[in-house]
Amino acid sequence: MRTHLCGQLEDGDVGRFIRLCGWVSRRREHGEHLAFVDLRDHTGTIQCVVDGSVDARSEYVVAVTGTLRRRPEGMENPNLATGGWEVGDCEIEVLATAEPPPFAVEDRVDVDEATRLRYRYIDLRRPRMQANLRLRAVVNAALRAAMDRMGFCEVETPLLWSPTPEGAREFAVPSRLHPGAFYVLPQSPQLAKQLLMVSGMDRYYQIARCLRDEDLRADRQFEFTQLDMEASFVNQDDVLGFVSESVLDAAEAATGERPPPIARMTWAEALERYGTDKPDLRFAMELVDLGEVFATTEVRAFAAPQGARRHAVKALVVEGGASFARSRLDGLVETAKAEGAKGLAWFKVTEGDGVVGLDSPLDRFLSETERTGLLAASGAVVGDLVLVVSDEHRLACTVLGRMRVALGGRPVGEGPYRYVWVVEFPMFDGVDSAGHPVPAHHPFTMPHPDDLDLLETDPAAVRSQAYDLVLNGWELGSGSVRVHRADIQGRIFAALGISAEQAEARFGFLLDAFRYGAPPHAGFAFGIDRLAAIFSGADTIREVIAFPKTQSGADPLTGAPKALSANALADLGIKTTVPAPER
RNA sequence: GGACCUGUGGUGCAGUCUGGAGUGCACGCCGCCCUGUCAAGGCGGAGGUCGCGGGUUCAAAUCCCGUCAGGUCCGCCA
């Protein structure tokens, strides 16, 4: 139907009789003897000149025939990639008429999210969205090529999986052939890929859809896509190497620039310096430890309470923050309290009569040593604001870590790109209602070899061989060395308070498999939505997903979720207890 | 489950604090004019349940209560 694409014309095509197909982007008529039509396809836009009037209106689908020519001197449009040419003496054939679109098919118009999703097919016509989806495809292709090159085999795993009551809430799928029973959609192919290791696949990967019925965020949808991988006879360094290779390949393909090798940081260091396990390294603003300054303090707010397990006094310097209004400072204090801190102290670094001083409600309680110690340790200078949290160590760090991002952060998709490996995650994270430790990653994570004996004595101190990949403050993905030995797995289940019977009921099929010869294995999975969003400069993954859901999990285009007919429900053996909402 | 922001012709906004006629801006749409524009230009025109419901008031886009929708975040996401 066409001889060329709008955006792929070349100087060598000048003089050729060509035929292009696409949508009318814009029409400019100059009376009955001259009209311009900007024709848009997925590759770009080009100006078509018609000697006469044009029946086609915006978003009509047309085929244009004419001769490509250089534009007359002085008529070039430097704002258009094809602005040096135009199609002359055009005949325009209308292939489909179109109603005026609900919003303009242009990048610069900012449209309400609900409207965009209701008319997603029009939204996706916009060059920006076209570029996003195509960039994502480039990322996918680069990832596949890298995995292929490293000897990984692509294997598909089931979407209809078995419930495993652990972790994220699962989407349930009723079984028609087994009324009353359910499949679930996998929150990840975790167990399947471990089975593939027992199967001798050696190196598996999959661009896998994962589904979790948890609340949505800018970086979280119900369904998301991961590059999922697992390899046998490898250690942590090997896995980090595989993932780095694939991610850096994708980065190079997407941005044209290969990032330097990805540095590593321990989880403890990330918490200490950035107050988070996903540090944004595009800016410094590191947390400062004031523990020494206030080690023997008389200031009650900064003193460790009796019997405190691990108390810390941490600080954050906000450059230029001395100008913050009292109301804004009050807001920060409220935020800190809302996040669980007992309080937040602030010190404005001021200067009066050539003397550097602190402006703070707490200043009069500080000794001179503490005053100079605070300034020296924090490095704050006149005009800065120092925020201080004195609390349980991890809480003090995380509260300030969030302030760091809130006060110094930038949109995630804004360059430069700063990757970092966060390694040596704790094995457990808090305790459940029964007092048992909760796995930070999953129960098949191998503890750090040096900490094995702490499993029984001090589980909270056990580090694991689990690791995260972080980019610009977003967690791209995580992985771990897996447990392949029954004895260690048993000790972990014991630490978790999972009995042999419970383990058998939940993961029996995996434990069974492991009895038949499980190779040491390790793996990783990272979010392609997030990676593609960051490469696209987007600040939500919806920008790189063709048909995403709203924050309430609805699809304005199809109306999903909807009620099922009584017949369909009966077929599935389902009886609902509430009427479906009308939308 | 919770906090905050937003909701006004098709689109994006102003108006809301401090109540007084659906007032305004830009784009789009429709008609006419226009032979080199390119976010074309000129003239004219149409288009409104101010998200929805209730309350206060002589009077509500504006104040109050509730509710719905979209967004950001907390919880949640092994």
Side-chain angles (χ1 to χ4, degrees):
Chain A
M1 274 185 100
R2 57 191 173 192
T3 61
H4 293 75
L5 297 170
C6 296
Q8 293 178 357
L9 295 163
E10 298 170 354
D11 233 21
D13 298 322
V14 168
R16 289 223 171 90
F17 186 70
I18 63 174
R19 181 174 161 95
L20 303 169
C21 295
W23 285 259
V24 174
S25 173
R26 193 167 263 111
R27 177 184 61 159
R28 295 176 293 279
E29 285 197 302
H30 294 251
E32 47 188 297
H33 299 296
L34 176 67
F36 301 99
V37 169
D38 291 338
L39 182 71
R40 183 192 71 241
D41 66 17
H42 63 285
T43 61
T45 301
I46 183 147
Q47 172 166 282
C48 306
V49 186
V50 181
D51 299 324
S53 59
V54 175
D55 289 334
R57 293 169 184 263
S58 283
E59 299 309 311
Y60 274 33
V61 182
V62 297
V64 175
T65 50
T67 306
L68 189 72
R69 65 193 187 201
R70 273 187 204 92
R71 290 200 189 185
E73 186 84 24
M75 307 291 176
E76 301 88 354
N77 183 353
N79 300 319
L80 200 61
T82 61
W85 310 301
E86 61 189 12
V87 187
D89 303 319
C90 289
E91 291 280 341
I92 295 191
E93 179 190 349
V94 174
L95 303 175
T97 61
E99 292 178 18
F103 51 88
V105 183
E106 292 171 352
D107 288 335
R108 63 193 168 82
V109 299
D110 189 18
V111 186
D112 178 70
E113 191 79 10
T115 308
R116 290 180 63 190
L117 295 186
R118 165 78 180 79
Y119 300 98
R120 190 59 156 180
Y121 41 87
I122 293 172
D123 192 36
L124 293 179
R125 281 184 200 165
R126 305 204 278 177
R128 170 89 210 194
M129 295 302 288
Q130 285 277 321
N132 287 358
L133 293 188
R134 287 169 201 283
L135 181 75
R136 182 176 177 141
V138 165
V139 168
N140 275 355
L143 293 176
R144 280 212 164 88
M147 299 311 287
D148 203 42
R149 191 173 64 239
M150 293 185 287
F152 284 76
C153 177
E154 184 170 11
V155 181
E156 293 176 78
T157 55
L159 277 178
L160 297 175
W161 191 244
S162 173
T164 52
E166 276 284 323
R169 201 175 292 119
E170 295 166 323
F171 282 99
V173 180
S175 163
R176 177 181 56 86
L177 296 179
H178 304 273
F182 293 83
Y183 304 93
V184 302
L185 304 177
Q187 33 184 301
S188 83
Q190 180 61 38
L191 300 178
K193 69 180 176 179
Q194 292 194 245
L195 291 176
L196 287 173
M197 293 302 100
V198 181
S199 308
M201 286 309 299
D202 199 73
R203 292 184 179 185
Y204 140 94
Y205 84 99
Q206 180 179 195
I207 292 183
R209 197 67 72 86
C210 306
L211 300 108
R212 297 179 187 172
D213 188 3
E214 299 289 353
D215 286 2
L216 286 63
R217 289 280 195 284
D219 62 348
R220 277 161 38 188
Q221 285 269 309
F222 283 152
E223 35 188 322
F224 58 99
T225 307
Q226 292 191 330
L227 178 69
D228 190 53
M229 66 175 84
E230 194 78 14
S232 297
F233 310 112
V234 298
N235 58 27
Q236 174 172 313
D237 284 348
D238 295 322
V239 174
L240 266 50
F242 297 143
V243 179
S244 292
E245 178 84 355
S246 62
V247 167
L248 298 186
D249 274 13
E252 186 172 5
T255 69
E257 200 174 329
R258 191 174 188 84
I262 304 173
R264 299 183 196 185
M265 180 184 295
T266 66
W267 177 87
E269 184 182 1
L271 182 69
E272 200 68 50
R273 292 170 61 190
Y274 301 99
T276 177
D277 56 11
K278 42 183 181 179
D280 186 346
L281 300 187
R282 288 175 298 173
F283 62 106
M285 214 173 157
E286 294 190 19
L287 307 193
V288 177
D289 198 306
L290 297 182
E292 301 225 342
V293 176
F294 294 104
T296 60
T297 187
E298 298 288 319
V299 184
R300 276 180 50 200
F302 293 162
Q306 286 292 325
R309 180 184 153 93
R310 197 179 172 195
H311 181 262
V313 183
K314 300 288 289 186
L316 177 70
V317 178
V318 184
E319 206 175 309
S323 62
F324 282 16
R326 183 60 186 257
S327 57
R328 185 165 184 193
L329 295 170
D330 290 344
L332 293 177
V333 174
E334 283 314 305
T335 304
K337 286 181 176 170
E339 284 166 10
K342 285 190 279 292
L344 173 76
W346 50 264
F347 299 89
K348 291 180 174 180
V349 185
T350 56
E351 187 168 25
D353 299 330
V355 181
V356 175
L358 296 175
D359 176 3
S360 166
L362 282 178
D363 181 54
R364 63 194 177 96
F365 299 113
L366 263 53
S367 71
E368 194 51 42
T369 320
E370 288 168 343
R371 210 168 276 132
T372 52
L374 184 151
L375 284 169
S378 69
V381 297
V382 173
D384 289 349
L385 174 73
V386 185
L387 300 173
V388 180
V389 174
S390 163
D391 219 306
E392 188 275 323
H393 175 261
R394 185 154 168 195
L395 186 65
C397 292
T398 52
V399 166
L400 286 176
R402 283 188 179 168
M403 302 230 161
R404 173 179 177 269
V405 172
L407 296 170
R410 286 174 288 150
V412 64
E414 192 177 297
Y417 305 110
R418 290 287 179 261
Y419 301 80
V420 62
W421 285 111
V422 178
V423 300
E424 292 180 17
F425 268 65
M427 188 77 182
F428 307 106
D429 188 7
V431 293
D432 63 17
S433 51
H436 297 300
V438 177
H441 188 54
H442 58 59
F444 312 108
T445 304
M446 186 74 97
H448 193 287
D450 297 346
D451 296 352
L452 261 180
D453 290 337
L454 296 174
L455 271 176
E456 288 78 18
T457 56
D458 187 7
V462 177
R463 290 166 297 166
S464 68
Q465 297 186 61
Y467 30 86
D468 274 10
L469 178 60
V470 174
L471 171 54
N472 289 4
W474 269 12
E475 179 196 323
L476 276 189
S478 58
S480 62
V481 177
R482 326 295 185 188
V483 179
H484 72 285
R485 273 171 45 188
D487 58 329
I488 296 177
Q489 189 65 66
R491 291 169 66 187
I492 293 170
F493 282 149
L496 293 170
I498 297 176
S499 69
E501 294 72 32
Q502 289 169 317
E504 180 59 33
R506 290 184 193 176
F507 320 110
F509 62 92
L510 183 68
L511 302 177
D512 284 349
F514 277 15
R515 290 208 299 270
Y516 294 99
H521 59 287
F524 200 80
F526 65 83
I528 292 176
D529 312 87
R530 292 181 180 179
L531 190 63
I534 294 172
F535 288 155
S536 300
D539 46 16
T540 103
I541 62 172
R542 293 189 302 277
E543 298 300 303
V544 295
I545 297 173
F547 302 103
K549 308 273 187 292
T550 65
Q551 190 160 41
S552 68
D555 178 0
L557 196 161
T558 63
K562 284 181 175 170
L564 276 185
S565 71
N567 280 346
L569 287 175
D571 230 18
L572 297 168
I574 300 273
K575 192 179 283 180
T576 59
T577 59
V578 291
E582 289 183 33
R583 243 195 303 278

